[in-house]
């Protein structure tokens, strides 16, 4: 039976423990995802407290990280989502995403509504991919794909 967390503290504490174990064991997020049998974005988000893992994935990841049975159980609970406290983010990487939405948020909204109508893009029925590609002008570029199901607004 699925259980929910209503206090994010337990999952935040587990995230700190999991990241510490990942670092001590010199593991990548991809290695953890491969062990779980799920996408790297989903497993990373789960270990950072934003998703529940299926039982087999929770056990596999916990075994790799040497986490106990309490952690296995906690990894399977539905978290209280939202990992960025209120206000403007101060971490430079997270701030740049905030900046991108400040600049392009209204453009994205206008284009989504023009193409789909009134509704939202789900962050639950969602896929995320991050890739590093060569920049033809030198250096590297980040290609980030946000792939969410469109949910139309339905009058009632």
């Amino acid at each position: 039976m699925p259980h929910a967390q209503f206090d994010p503290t337990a999952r935040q504490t587990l995230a700190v423990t999991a990241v510490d174990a990942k670092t001590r064991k010199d593991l990548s997020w991809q290695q953890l995802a491969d062990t779980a049998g799920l996408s790297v974005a989903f497993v990373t988000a789960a270990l950072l407290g934003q998703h529940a893992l299926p039982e087999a994935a929770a056990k596999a990841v916990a075994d790799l990280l040497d986490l106990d049975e309490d952690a296995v159980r906690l990894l399977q609970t539905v978290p209280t989502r939202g990992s960025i406290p209120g206000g403007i983010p101060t971490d430079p990487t997270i701030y740049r995403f905030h900046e991108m939405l400040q600049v392009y948020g209204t453009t994205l909204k206008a284009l989504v509504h023009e193409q789909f109508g009134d509704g939202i893009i789900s962050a639950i029925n969602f896929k995320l991919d991050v890739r590093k590609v060569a920049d033809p002008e030198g250096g590297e570029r980040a290609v980030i794909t946000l792939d969410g199901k469109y949910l139309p607004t339905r009058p009632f």
Side-chain angles (χ1 to χ4, degrees), residues 38-63:
L38 299 167
S39 79
V40 67
F42 190 87
V43 171
T44 302
L47 289 172
L48 295 178
Q50 299 304 303
H51 289 305
L53 285 175
E55 183 178 6
K59 285 180 179 180
V61 168
D63 284 347

Side-chain angles (χ1 to χ4, degrees), residues 5-71:
Q5 287 290 312
F6 293 99
D7 178 0
T9 308
R11 288 300 292 268
Q12 290 167 349
T13 301
L14 178 55
V16 170
T17 301
V19 170
D20 180 60
K22 173 190 172 293
T23 302
R24 276 187 290 101
K25 292 177 158 278
D26 194 29
L27 297 169
S28 69
W29 292 113
Q30 186 62 59
Q31 288 171 299
L32 292 166
D34 292 344
T35 298
L38 299 167
S39 79
V40 67
F42 190 87
V43 171
T44 302
L47 289 172
L48 295 178
Q50 299 304 303
H51 289 305
L53 285 175
E55 183 178 6
K59 285 180 179 180
V61 168
D63 284 347
L64 186 59
L65 294 174
D66 294 327
L67 302 176
D68 63 18
E69 286 301 313
D70 288 338

Side-chain angles (χ1 to χ4, degrees), residues 51-124:
H51 289 305
L53 285 175
E55 183 178 6
K59 285 180 179 180
V61 168
D63 284 347
L64 186 59
L65 294 174
D66 294 327
L67 302 176
D68 63 18
E69 286 301 313
D70 288 338
V72 172
R73 188 171 40 261
L74 191 55
L75 284 169
Q76 295 174 71
T77 62
V78 179
T80 300
R81 291 180 171 96
S83 60
I84 301 172
I88 296 173
T90 57
D91 176 85
T93 302
I94 296 172
Y95 175 77
R96 292 297 174 242
F97 285 99
H98 174 78
E99 179 183 45
M100 288 175 216
L101 286 176
Q102 288 286 54
V103 174
Y104 292 104
T106 52
T107 300
L108 290 166
K109 177 180 173 52
L111 294 173
V112 165
H113 292 311
E114 182 175 281
Q115 293 178 34
F116 293 93
D118 186 10
I120 62 168
I121 298 170
S122 175
I124 300 300

